[in-house]
PDB file of all heavy atoms in Angstrom:
ATOM      1  N   GLN A 248     -24.380  16.071  24.429  1.00 67.00           N
ATOM      2  CA  GLN A 248     -24.369  17.279  23.556  1.00 67.00           C
ATOM      3  C   GLN A 248     -24.955  18.463  24.304  1.00 67.00           C
ATOM      4  O   GLN A 248     -25.916  18.352  25.056  1.00 67.00           O
ATOM      5  CB  GLN A 248     -25.354  16.972  22.364  1.00 67.00           C
ATOM      6  CG  GLN A 248     -24.833  15.938  21.430  1.00 67.00           C
ATOM      7  CD  GLN A 248     -23.439  16.209  20.789  1.00 67.00           C
ATOM      8  OE1 GLN A 248     -23.295  17.362  20.218  1.00 67.00           O
ATOM      9  NE2 GLN A 248     -22.588  15.341  20.839  1.00 67.00           N
ATOM     10  N   SER A 249     -24.225  19.566  24.174  1.00 61.00           N
ATOM     11  CA  SER A 249     -24.665  20.812  24.808  1.00 61.00           C
ATOM     12  C   SER A 249     -25.918  21.382  24.222  1.00 61.00           C
ATOM     13  O   SER A 249     -26.082  21.259  23.043  1.00 61.00           O
ATOM     14  CB  SER A 249     -23.518  21.868  24.794  1.00 61.00           C
ATOM     15  OG  SER A 249     -23.919  23.089  25.341  1.00 61.00           O
ATOM     16  N   ASP A 250     -26.688  22.072  25.013  1.00 53.00           N
ATOM     17  CA  ASP A 250     -27.884  22.760  24.511  1.00 53.00           C
ATOM     18  C   ASP A 250     -27.590  24.198  23.980  1.00 53.00           C
ATOM     19  O   ASP A 250     -28.489  24.852  23.491  1.00 53.00           O
ATOM     20  CB  ASP A 250     -29.036  22.874  25.598  1.00 53.00           C
ATOM     21  CG  ASP A 250     -29.551  21.466  25.974  1.00 53.00           C
ATOM     22  OD1 ASP A 250     -29.590  20.543  25.139  1.00 53.00           O
ATOM     23  OD2 ASP A 250     -29.917  21.247  27.204  1.00 53.00           O
ATOM     24  N   GLU A 251     -26.224  24.610  24.145  1.00 59.00           N
ATOM     25  CA  GLU A 251     -25.935  25.861  23.638  1.00 59.00           C
ATOM     26  C   GLU A 251     -25.988  25.967  22.146  1.00 59.00           C
ATOM     27  O   GLU A 251     -26.182  24.974  21.474  1.00 59.00           O
ATOM     28  CB  GLU A 251     -24.496  26.235  24.139  1.00 59.00           C
ATOM     29  CG  GLU A 251     -24.381  26.287  25.679  1.00 59.00           C
ATOM     30  CD  GLU A 251     -22.989  26.691  26.094  1.00 59.00           C
ATOM     31  OE1 GLU A 251     -22.200  27.072  25.261  1.00 59.00           O
ATOM     32  OE2 GLU A 251     -22.753  26.610  27.281  1.00 59.00           O
ATOM     33  N   ARG A 252     -25.774  27.168  21.657  1.00 64.00           N
ATOM     34  CA  ARG A 252     -25.730  27.386  20.210  1.00 64.00           C
ATOM     35  C   ARG A 252     -24.647  26.546  19.628  1.00 64.00           C
ATOM     36  O   ARG A 252     -23.718  26.233  20.304  1.00 64.00           O
ATOM     37  CB  ARG A 252     -25.529  28.812  19.877  1.00 64.00           C
ATOM     38  CG  ARG A 252     -26.704  29.753  20.242  1.00 64.00           C
ATOM     39  CD  ARG A 252     -26.221  31.204  20.156  1.00 64.00           C
ATOM     40  NE  ARG A 252     -25.122  31.509  20.928  1.00 64.00           N
ATOM     41  CZ  ARG A 252     -24.261  32.575  20.784  1.00 64.00           C
ATOM     42  NH1 ARG A 252     -24.417  33.382  19.761  1.00 64.00           N
ATOM     43  NH2 ARG A 252     -23.355  32.823  21.617  1.00 64.00           N
ATOM     44  N   SER A 253     -24.741  26.367  18.406  1.00 69.00           N
ATOM     45  CA  SER A 253     -23.644  25.656  17.598  1.00 69.00           C
ATOM     46  C   SER A 253     -22.352  26.366  17.778  1.00 69.00           C
ATOM     47  O   SER A 253     -22.280  27.650  17.705  1.00 69.00           O
ATOM     48  CB  SER A 253     -24.004  25.549  16.153  1.00 69.00           C
ATOM     49  OG  SER A 253     -22.895  25.208  15.386  1.00 69.00           O
ATOM     50  N   PRO A 254     -21.226  25.657  18.015  1.00 71.00           N
ATOM     51  CA  PRO A 254     -19.915  26.285  18.196  1.00 71.00           C
ATOM     52  C   PRO A 254     -19.538  27.124  16.874  1.00 71.00           C
ATOM     53  O   PRO A 254     -18.886  28.086  16.958  1.00 71.00           O
ATOM     54  CB  PRO A 254     -18.955  25.119  18.424  1.00 71.00           C
ATOM     55  CG  PRO A 254     -19.653  23.912  17.926  1.00 71.00           C
ATOM     56  CD  PRO A 254     -21.107  24.149  18.157  1.00 71.00           C
ATOM     57  N   PHE A 255     -20.078  26.630  15.628  1.00 73.00           N
ATOM     58  CA  PHE A 255     -19.723  27.358  14.409  1.00 73.00           C
ATOM     59  C   PHE A 255     -20.428  28.709  14.464  1.00 73.00           C
ATOM     60  O   PHE A 255     -19.798  29.772  14.100  1.00 73.00           O
ATOM     61  CB  PHE A 255     -20.237  26.539  13.344  1.00 73.00           C
ATOM     62  CG  PHE A 255     -19.531  25.304  13.048  1.00 73.00           C
ATOM     63  CD1 PHE A 255     -20.015  23.985  13.485  1.00 73.00           C
ATOM     64  CD2 PHE A 255     -18.204  25.236  12.535  1.00 73.00           C
ATOM     65  CE1 PHE A 255     -19.375  22.881  13.281  1.00 73.00           C
ATOM     66  CE2 PHE A 255     -17.559  24.056  12.252  1.00 73.00           C
ATOM     67  CZ  PHE A 255     -18.185  22.854  12.687  1.00 73.00           C
ATOM     68  N   LEU A 256     -21.666  28.722  15.025  1.00 78.00           N
ATOM     69  CA  LEU A 256     -22.376  30.007  15.189  1.00 78.00           C
ATOM     70  C   LEU A 256     -21.704  30.937  16.173  1.00 78.00           C
ATOM     71  O   LEU A 256     -21.573  32.105  15.866  1.00 78.00           O
ATOM     72  CB  LEU A 256     -23.796  29.804  15.521  1.00 78.00           C
ATOM     73  CG  LEU A 256     -24.705  29.169  14.451  1.00 78.00           C
ATOM     74  CD1 LEU A 256     -26.124  28.948  15.002  1.00 78.00           C
ATOM     75  CD2 LEU A 256     -24.859  30.174  13.233  1.00 78.00           C
ATOM     76  N   ARG A 257     -21.370  30.381  17.297  1.00 80.00           N
ATOM     77  CA  ARG A 257     -20.702  31.185  18.375  1.00 80.00           C
ATOM     78  C   ARG A 257     -19.397  31.849  17.844  1.00 80.00           C
ATOM     79  O   ARG A 257     -19.248  33.047  18.062  1.00 80.00           O
ATOM     80  CB  ARG A 257     -20.430  30.273  19.558  1.00 80.00           C
ATOM     81  CG  ARG A 257     -21.694  29.760  20.279  1.00 80.00           C
ATOM     82  CD  ARG A 257     -21.309  29.388  21.755  1.00 80.00           C
ATOM     83  NE  ARG A 257     -20.161  28.498  21.816  1.00 80.00           N
ATOM     84  CZ  ARG A 257     -20.170  27.243  21.841  1.00 80.00           C
ATOM     85  NH1 ARG A 257     -21.329  26.624  21.671  1.00 80.00           N
ATOM     86  NH2 ARG A 257     -19.138  26.416  21.990  1.00 80.00           N
ATOM     87  N   ILE A 258     -18.538  31.043  17.244  1.00 81.00           N
ATOM     88  CA  ILE A 258     -17.285  31.596  16.801  1.00 81.00           C
ATOM     89  C   ILE A 258     -17.466  32.547  15.592  1.00 81.00           C
ATOM     90  O   ILE A 258     -16.839  33.507  15.558  1.00 81.00           O
ATOM     91  CB  ILE A 258     -16.372  30.413  16.358  1.00 81.00           C
ATOM     92  CG1 ILE A 258     -15.968  29.614  17.662  1.00 81.00           C
ATOM     93  CG2 ILE A 258     -15.030  30.902  15.681  1.00 81.00           C
ATOM     94  CD1 ILE A 258     -15.211  28.272  17.408  1.00 81.00           C
ATOM     95  N   GLY A 259     -18.395  32.174  14.660  1.00 82.00           N
ATOM     96  CA  GLY A 259     -18.638  33.000  13.584  1.00 82.00           C
ATOM     97  C   GLY A 259     -19.231  34.349  14.014  1.00 82.00           C
ATOM     98  O   GLY A 259     -18.848  35.372  13.353  1.00 82.00           O
ATOM     99  N   GLN A 260     -20.053  34.422  15.013  1.00 82.00           N
ATOM    100  CA  GLN A 260     -20.676  35.662  15.485  1.00 82.00           C
ATOM    101  C   GLN A 260     -19.589  36.548  16.116  1.00 82.00           C
ATOM    102  O   GLN A 260     -19.667  37.777  15.987  1.00 82.00           O
ATOM    103  CB  GLN A 260     -21.790  35.395  16.449  1.00 82.00           C
ATOM    104  CG  GLN A 260     -22.940  34.905  15.776  1.00 82.00           C
ATOM    105  CD  GLN A 260     -24.106  34.627  16.789  1.00 82.00           C
ATOM    106  OE1 GLN A 260     -23.901  34.570  17.935  1.00 82.00           O
ATOM    107  NE2 GLN A 260     -25.303  34.420  16.263  1.00 82.00           N
ATOM    108  N   VAL A 261     -18.503  36.095  16.634  1.00 84.00           N
ATOM    109  CA  VAL A 261     -17.444  36.798  17.188  1.00 84.00           C
ATOM    110  C   VAL A 261     -16.821  37.701  16.078  1.00 84.00           C
ATOM    111  O   VAL A 261     -16.623  38.904  16.284  1.00 84.00           O
ATOM    112  CB  VAL A 261     -16.369  35.907  17.926  1.00 84.00           C
ATOM    113  CG1 VAL A 261     -15.183  36.734  18.327  1.00 84.00           C
ATOM    114  CG2 VAL A 261     -17.012  35.304  19.202  1.00 84.00           C
ATOM    115  N   PHE A 262     -16.488  36.994  15.013  1.00 84.00           N
ATOM    116  CA  PHE A 262     -15.874  37.711  13.929  1.00 84.00           C
ATOM    117  C   PHE A 262     -16.859  38.744  13.266  1.00 84.00           C
ATOM    118  O   PHE A 262     -16.421  39.861  12.962  1.00 84.00           O
ATOM    119  CB  PHE A 262     -15.415  36.692  12.893  1.00 84.00           C
ATOM    120  CG  PHE A 262     -14.223  35.898  13.303  1.00 84.00           C
ATOM    121  CD1 PHE A 262     -14.414  34.614  13.833  1.00 84.00           C
ATOM    122  CD2 PHE A 262     -12.943  36.361  13.166  1.00 84.00           C
ATOM    123  CE1 PHE A 262     -13.337  33.844  14.178  1.00 84.00           C
ATOM    124  CE2 PHE A 262     -11.845  35.669  13.508  1.00 84.00           C
ATOM    125  CZ  PHE A 262     -12.048  34.315  14.095  1.00 84.00           C
ATOM    126  N   VAL A 263     -18.073  38.389  13.148  1.00 86.00           N
ATOM    127  CA  VAL A 263     -19.063  39.296  12.520  1.00 86.00           C
ATOM    128  C   VAL A 263     -19.208  40.500  13.455  1.00 86.00           C
ATOM    129  O   VAL A 263     -19.167  41.624  12.915  1.00 86.00           O
ATOM    130  CB  VAL A 263     -20.363  38.606  12.329  1.00 86.00           C
ATOM    131  CG1 VAL A 263     -21.437  39.595  11.936  1.00 86.00           C
ATOM    132  CG2 VAL A 263     -20.214  37.531  11.281  1.00 86.00           C
TER     133      VAL A 263
END
Side-chain angles (χ1 to χ4, degrees):
Q248 297 298 313
S249 173
D250 294 329
E251 296 181 12
R252 294 171 299 159
S253 164
F255 294 101
L256 288 176
R257 295 201 309 268
I258 293 172
Q260 285 179 348
V261 171
F262 289 97
V263 171

